[in-house]
Amino acid sequence: MNKQSRIFVAGHRGMVGSALVRRLVAAGYTNVVTRTRLELDLMDQAAVNRFFEAEKIDVVLLAAARVGGIFANASRPGEFIYENLVIETNVIHAAYRAQVERLVFFGSSCIYPKQCPQPIREEYLLTSSLEPTNDAYAIAKIAGLKLCEAYNCEYNTQYVSLMPTNLYGPNDNYDLKSSHVLPALLRKAHEAKLNGADTLTVWGSGTPRREFLHVDDLAAATLFVLENNVMEGLFNVGVGEDLSIRELAECICKVVGFDGELVFDASKPDGTPRKLLDVSRLAQMGWRATIGLEQGIASTYREFVESYAGSPTAAAVQ
Ligand code: GFB
C-alpha cells in the first residue's frame, strides 16, 4: 500500500468509516474512495460488482454494517443478520472478483461465546454458545470473518478481520432506542443536567462489565495493520481494561457535570456479563490503544454538544 493506493472505505458516514477517512487523510493518503448509499447500494450485488470493476480499488475497508445496542439487536435480529450477511458477502465477493488484494473486515467482540474465559483470546471463537441478545448479529460477523479466511485459503487474497470491543466517539448514534450504552448515557446525563432532574435511569443491573475503545484508536490500529503488511488473520482491538456499567455511568456523570442519583431499571436486559478482550496479539506486533476512557468521553461529549450547535442545549454547556 502506498499513499496513492485507491482505498475504498465502505460505510464512510458511520462512526467507524468516518474515523477511518479522517485518519487516512491525516496520514497523507490521497485516493480515499467513498460512496453514499444513494450512489451505491451495498445490498445490490450487481451494483457492487459494477463499482469494483470500474473503480480499480487496491484496498477495501469494510466498515458498512447494520449496528446497534442491546435493544436494537434483541428486537430486530432479522434485519441484523440479513443486512450484515448481504453487505459483507456482496463486498467481499466483488472485491475478490475484481482482484482487490487487501481488505479489512470489521466485526465485534460479541462474536465470542457468552461464557468465555476472560480476557478473551482470538482462539476462543466458536468454542461454545453465543449471547442470545445479539446472536443474529454475531453469526453474521462470524460468517464475514470466515468468508475472509476461506477466500485467503482458496484464492490467495489478503483479507484481515479486526474485532473491536465496544466503540464510541464522533458520529455515534444517540437515539435512545438503538444506541449503545455509552452514547445513551452521555445523552441522558446531558439532558438530566439541563432539565435539573434528580435521577438518571440506567438499564439493567449495572453489574455487567464492558471495555470501551475510542473509534480513533480503532482507525489507528487499522492503519497499523495495513502499513505493517499484516496479510491475514483475526485480531482483537481493545484497551485491555473494562469497568462495570455502574462505573461507566458514574464516569459519564462526572464528565457531564450531573450529580443526581443513578436508578437501575431491572426490566431491561443486562446482556453478556463480561467481554474483556485479550489484546496481546496486536500488542506483540507493536500496537496499543492510546486514548484513555475519561479523556475520550470528555472529547466525545464536546463533539456531542457541538452537534447541537444553535439549539438551546448548546448554550447551556461549557
Ligand atoms: O452497549 P449496549 O447496548 O450493548 O449495552 P452490548 C451494554 C450494557 O449497558 C447492557 C446497559 O448491560 C445494557 O443493559 N445499559 C445501561 C444500557 N443503560 C443503557 C442505555 O441507556 N442504553 C443501552 N443501549 N444500554 C452490543 C451488541 O452489546 O454491543 C452488539 O448488542 C455489539 O451486537 C455491541 O456487539 C458492541 O455491549 O450488550
Side-chain angles (χ1 to χ4, degrees):
M1 191 170 82
N2 59 50
K3 300 284 179 187
Q4 286 76 44
S5 297
R6 286 179 64 71
I7 305 171
F8 174 45
V9 179
H12 72 287
R13 285 184 160 167
M15 179 169 64
V16 173
S18 58
L20 291 169
V21 172
R22 280 197 304 278
R23 184 83 191 189
L24 287 166
V25 170
Y29 289 89
T30 54
N31 267 319
V32 178
V33 179
T34 61
R35 289 291 184 278
T36 63
R37 192 170 307 181
L38 267 184
E39 291 164 341
L40 174 62
D41 180 1
L42 296 176
M43 301 283 291
D44 178 345
Q45 178 80 80
V48 176
N49 284 340
R50 282 195 300 275
F51 166 80
F52 274 97
E53 279 154 21
E55 291 299 327
K56 307 285 176 249
I57 299 295
D58 298 308
V59 180
V60 176
L61 304 183
L62 180 39
R66 163 70 60 191
V67 297
I70 192 166
F71 182 74
N73 266 272
S75 53
R76 295 188 276 128
E79 280 171 47
F80 277 74
I81 193 166
Y82 174 69
E83 293 182 26
N84 286 306
L85 282 173
V86 173
I87 291 169
E88 66 205 26
T89 307
N90 286 353
V91 173
I92 293 169
H93 189 66
Y96 147 68
R97 276 178 38 135
Q99 298 178 330
V100 174
E101 277 186 3
R102 302 193 68 187
L103 179 146
V104 179
F105 172 67
F106 296 91
S108 156
S109 57
C110 70
I111 59 163
Y112 294 110
K114 174 172 183 159
Q115 302 295 349
C116 245
Q118 307 282 323
I120 304 172
R121 299 175 63 85
E122 288 86 348
E123 300 84 68
Y124 300 160
L125 183 70
L126 294 173
T127 49
S128 61
S129 345
L130 298 163
E131 154 62 33
T133 54
N134 56 36
D135 59 353
Y137 175 77
I139 291 279
K141 289 295 179 181
I142 292 169
L145 79 88
K146 287 291 172 191
L147 204 56
C148 292
E149 281 178 15
Y151 278 38
N152 289 349
C153 176
E154 186 171 352
Y155 307 128
N156 293 318
T157 49
Q158 296 168 355
Y159 296 173
V160 173
S161 296
L162 297 186
M163 295 301 132
T165 186
N166 288 39
L167 297 167
Y168 69 99
N171 294 327
D172 209 340
N173 169 18
Y174 289 92
D175 171 67
L176 294 180
K177 284 211 182 78
S178 56
S179 60
H180 290 93
V181 60
L182 195 152
L185 293 181
L186 208 52
R187 175 176 169 177
K188 286 184 192 175
H190 176 68
E191 292 178 352
K193 179 179 133 180
L194 292 188
N195 298 332
D198 298 327
T199 60
L200 182 157
T201 301
V202 179
W203 293 357
S205 63
T207 58
R209 299 183 72 82
R210 293 289 183 274
E211 175 186 6
F212 295 92
L213 179 75
H214 192 285
V215 71
D216 287 348
D217 269 334
L218 175 63
T222 308
L223 253 73
F224 176 87
V225 161
L226 291 170
E227 291 176 345
N228 287 278
N229 295 322
V230 178
M231 301 305 189
E232 61 179 344
L234 167 62
F235 297 89
N236 291 340
V237 192
V239 294
E241 280 173 24
D242 63 2
L243 76 175
S244 71
I245 296 299
R246 174 190 285 275
E247 288 164 338
L248 174 74
E250 288 166 354
C251 179
I252 288 174
C253 289
K254 182 175 152 208
V255 169
V256 170
F258 172 70
D259 54 11
E261 190 192 336
L262 299 178
V263 172
F264 293 88
D265 177 358
S267 71
K268 296 289 195 302
D270 270 344
T272 203
R274 192 176 188 200
K275 45 178 175 177
L276 174 66
L277 290 178
D278 181 315
V279 292
S280 52
R281 196 174 272 188
L282 268 189
Q284 275 158 13
M285 295 166 64
W287 186 83
R288 277 194 180 278
T290 60
I291 305 173
L293 183 60
E294 194 166 332
Q295 170 204 358
I297 291 175
S299 64
T300 303
Y301 182 48
R302 281 195 296 277
E303 281 142 6
F304 167 73
V305 171
E306 279 158 22
S307 74
Y308 276 68
S311 76
T313 52
V317 179
Q318 318 84 351

